[in-house]
Amino acid sequence: MDVAVVVLYLAAMIAFGFWGRRRTTDRTDFLVAGRRLGPWLYSGTMAAVVLGGASTIGGVGLGYQYGLSGMWLVVAIGCGILVLSLAFSGRIQRLGVFTVGQMLELRYGTGLGAPSGIVMWAYTLMLAVTSTIAYATIFGVLLDLPRVPSILIGGAVVVVDSTLGGMWSVTLTDFVQFLIKTVGIFLVLLPVALWRAGGWDGLVAAVPADALSLTSIGGGTILTYFVTYGFGLLIGQDIWQRVFTARSPGVSRWAGFGAGLYCLAYGVVGALIGTAAQVVVPGLDSRDDAFAAIVEAAMPPVLAGLVLAAALSAVMSTSSGALLATATVFDQDLLGALRRRRGAAAGATGTEDPAHDELSGNRWAVAAFGVVMVGIACLLRDVVAALTLAYGILVGGLLVPVLGGLLWRRATRAGALAAMGTGTVVTLATMLALGDLYANEPVFAGLGTGLVAFVVVSLATRPVEADVRAGWDARVGAAAGRD
């Protein structure tokens, strides 16, 4: 029965792909759902894309090892969404662009899209690969399949869904995934897990005292989560691409705020389930086995299928969003410059090569990188180090120029380039010097030196050209009354 539930869910994903294809007529539809999502769809897709395998399987696993303080990873994600929504999403939504790199070029002038695009492309690709490996694990448990066939099955569904309808397909899929997660995790697994642990009183009596502490995981680990995930969410292409789908700045702000609150609750619930698993399934060799173990121990088949579908949906929503973001960055930032040069050489009145079919090109990019994503996932067993490296470079190299451009009018193109180069080099050099990818020091060193370079070089160079500044102000101020 649980296999049947999951198979039905996968079939629905393919159906959503065909539905999205009917709604997709141009690049804007394919990449950002026509920029017309209302609050319900927007909040659902935003919550779905950020709450993936690390938040669901990993969050329960942290609760299994550390108790309630295992919530901090997902809480850091929720706080990142809250800050992004309340402080920046309105301005981001009004820009009318498709990528973070296009925002940088609009703010500072040409020349920043390609270097920022390389970093963002590596980050989104590694995120997609990590999610692919995670949902393949669930397929392996459900269908008793080896690792590679599990990756091929799940990857094929994600690639077909994303390629057919782009963001429209991903949005509808994400919203259904959001509903499944809410029912499966909040309304089914949490009460059943607490009941099997003896209720709240029985849980308190059975677990060690530090399992109920909010800080037993350690202050350094909590800080790491906020630095890595909180800062990363502020500038990640996969997250910004969801902001671009909102129909107004007000939707991006307040529906995003609701998604952030949902993430905070999700973190607490995951930690509670993990804490209950200490009682229900003690002695597991790996904390990441806690989710599947408590589902198997506590659930009848149909409910187990629903909860496993919830976990699967959490991971696959992140994978589909990251895949679409990877293709978008490659097509818009890395190939876009080449097309613009060809268009100029051909004397085109537009900005790109007139022979380029935007919608077809974006579909081919998603399909191609879907194959790359599946191939890397088949070859690698552990990409946590690669993902951590990508996150470190993303935060160390891009946070300062992106947020600095949004907040400081005196920031210049030279200052942004200096921050990008200095932050990236110092982050990598500190990682090598310490020999530890997971330390906090590399990102802090990159952020600190990048900020100094950003301020000093910006003050020492001429302000951004008047026409660039005017174009930026026009975009940021557009439709401000809709907030």
Side-chain angles (χ1 to χ4, degrees), residues 138-171:
I138 300 174
F139 275 112
V141 172
L142 275 174
L143 306 178
D144 194 24
L145 288 175
R147 180 174 174 276
V148 171
S150 298
I151 290 173
L152 294 177
I153 293 172
V157 174
V158 168
V159 173
V160 169
D161 177 57
S162 303
T163 302
L164 284 173
M167 187 59 82
W168 273 119
S169 298
V170 171
T171 294

Side-chain angles (χ1 to χ4, degrees), residues 12-187:
M13 282 189 67
I14 299 296
F16 295 152
F18 283 100
W19 176 87
R21 182 179 177 85
R22 295 177 58 188
R23 299 206 60 168
T24 301
T25 59
D26 57 22
R27 175 177 62 170
T28 301
D29 282 334
F30 189 83
L31 298 182
V32 290
R35 305 189 194 275
R36 54 182 187 267
L37 295 191
W40 287 106
L41 282 178
Y42 179 87
S43 59
T45 192
M46 179 63 82
V49 75
V50 299
L51 295 176
S55 303
T56 304
I57 299 172
V60 171
L62 288 171
Y64 186 80
Q65 181 172 357
Y66 298 105
L68 292 183
S69 69
M71 71 179 187
W72 286 111
L73 184 149
V74 186
V75 167
I77 291 173
C79 289
I81 294 299
L82 289 174
V83 173
L84 174 70
S85 299
L86 294 179
F88 301 109
S89 65
R91 255 175 292 182
I92 293 170
Q93 192 274 342
R94 288 197 293 268
L95 293 176
V97 296
F98 295 103
T99 68
V100 177
Q102 289 174 344
M103 169 265 165
L104 290 171
E105 293 213 335
L106 184 64
R107 170 62 178 83
Y108 296 110
T110 59
L112 292 177
S116 65
I118 292 172
V119 174
M120 195 66 74
W121 175 81
Y123 154 73
T124 54
L125 180 60
M126 285 300 101
L127 183 61
V129 169
T130 304
S131 302
T132 301
I133 292 174
Y135 63 67
T137 302
I138 300 174
F139 275 112
V141 172
L142 275 174
L143 306 178
D144 194 24
L145 288 175
R147 180 174 174 276
V148 171
S150 298
I151 290 173
L152 294 177
I153 293 172
V157 174
V158 168
V159 173
V160 169
D161 177 57
S162 303
T163 302
L164 284 173
M167 187 59 82
W168 273 119
S169 298
V170 171
T171 294
L172 184 58
T173 304
D174 279 354
F175 189 74
V176 173
Q177 289 164 343
F178 168 76
L179 296 178
I180 293 173
K181 281 189 290 191
T182 301
V183 174
I185 302 299
F186 284 82
L187 303 182

Side-chain angles (χ1 to χ4, degrees), residues 90-478:
R91 255 175 292 182
I92 293 170
Q93 192 274 342
R94 288 197 293 268
L95 293 176
V97 296
F98 295 103
T99 68
V100 177
Q102 289 174 344
M103 169 265 165
L104 290 171
E105 293 213 335
L106 184 64
R107 170 62 178 83
Y108 296 110
T110 59
L112 292 177
S116 65
I118 292 172
V119 174
M120 195 66 74
W121 175 81
Y123 154 73
T124 54
L125 180 60
M126 285 300 101
L127 183 61
V129 169
T130 304
S131 302
T132 301
I133 292 174
Y135 63 67
T137 302
I138 300 174
F139 275 112
V141 172
L142 275 174
L143 306 178
D144 194 24
L145 288 175
R147 180 174 174 276
V148 171
S150 298
I151 290 173
L152 294 177
I153 293 172
V157 174
V158 168
V159 173
V160 169
D161 177 57
S162 303
T163 302
L164 284 173
M167 187 59 82
W168 273 119
S169 298
V170 171
T171 294
L172 184 58
T173 304
D174 279 354
F175 189 74
V176 173
Q177 289 164 343
F178 168 76
L179 296 178
I180 293 173
K181 281 189 290 191
T182 301
V183 174
I185 302 299
F186 284 82
L187 303 182
V188 177
L189 184 55
L190 175 64
V192 170
L194 288 176
W195 172 70
R196 289 296 301 270
W200 178 253
D201 292 337
L203 179 67
V204 171
V207 298
D210 62 354
L212 303 178
S213 168
L214 296 181
T215 58
S216 62
I217 198 170
T221 300
I222 295 172
L223 181 61
T224 297
Y225 291 153
F226 276 92
V227 170
T228 303
Y229 295 100
F231 285 164
L233 283 169
L234 292 179
I235 56 173
Q237 170 66 27
D238 52 325
I239 309 304
W240 277 43
Q241 202 157 341
R242 291 310 199 281
V243 175
F244 299 148
T245 65
R247 71 184 180 202
S248 71
V251 168
S252 68
R253 179 176 296 118
W254 298 113
F257 177 77
L261 293 179
Y262 180 90
C263 292
L264 298 182
Y266 200 87
V268 175
V269 167
L272 277 172
I273 293 170
T275 305
Q278 294 182 18
V279 179
V280 179
V281 285
L284 296 177
D285 293 332
S286 171
R287 71 187 187 195
D288 288 336
D289 295 335
F291 183 90
I294 193 168
V295 170
E296 183 178 359
M299 297 286 178
V302 175
L303 290 181
L306 177 62
V307 174
L308 287 173
L312 189 62
S313 68
V315 183
M316 294 183 81
S317 62
T318 300
S319 180
S320 58
L323 173 59
L324 186 59
T326 301
T328 301
V329 170
F330 183 82
D331 187 72
Q332 299 296 310
D333 291 338
L334 303 182
L335 293 185
L338 177 61
R339 293 198 300 267
R340 285 190 290 271
R341 285 197 296 271
R342 287 178 176 175
T349 56
T351 58
E352 295 194 356
D353 181 356
H356 175 62
D357 183 341
E358 292 178 342
L359 182 55
S360 177
N362 285 308
R363 280 205 172 101
W364 277 110
V366 172
F369 283 112
V371 173
V372 172
M373 173 190 77
V374 170
I376 295 175
C378 289
L379 293 172
L380 297 181
R381 291 189 174 274
D382 184 5
V383 294
V384 174
L387 182 62
T388 302
L389 179 64
Y391 255 112
I393 297 173
L394 176 72
V395 174
L398 292 184
L399 184 72
V400 170
V402 171
L403 296 190
L406 292 170
L407 297 173
W408 189 33
R409 290 184 63 84
R410 185 61 179 82
T412 67
R413 176 178 176 274
L417 284 170
M420 197 179 301
T422 302
T424 300
V425 170
V426 171
T427 298
L428 290 174
T430 309
M431 284 180 178
L432 290 173
L434 294 176
D436 183 5
L437 287 175
Y438 307 102
N440 290 324
E441 290 83 357
V443 173
F444 282 125
L447 284 174
T449 55
L451 179 60
V452 171
F454 182 68
V455 173
V456 171
V457 174
S458 291
L459 292 176
T461 54
R462 292 181 178 180
V464 171
E465 292 83 353
D467 58 335
V468 174
R469 184 77 243 180
W472 171 262
D473 288 341
R475 294 285 189 100
V476 172

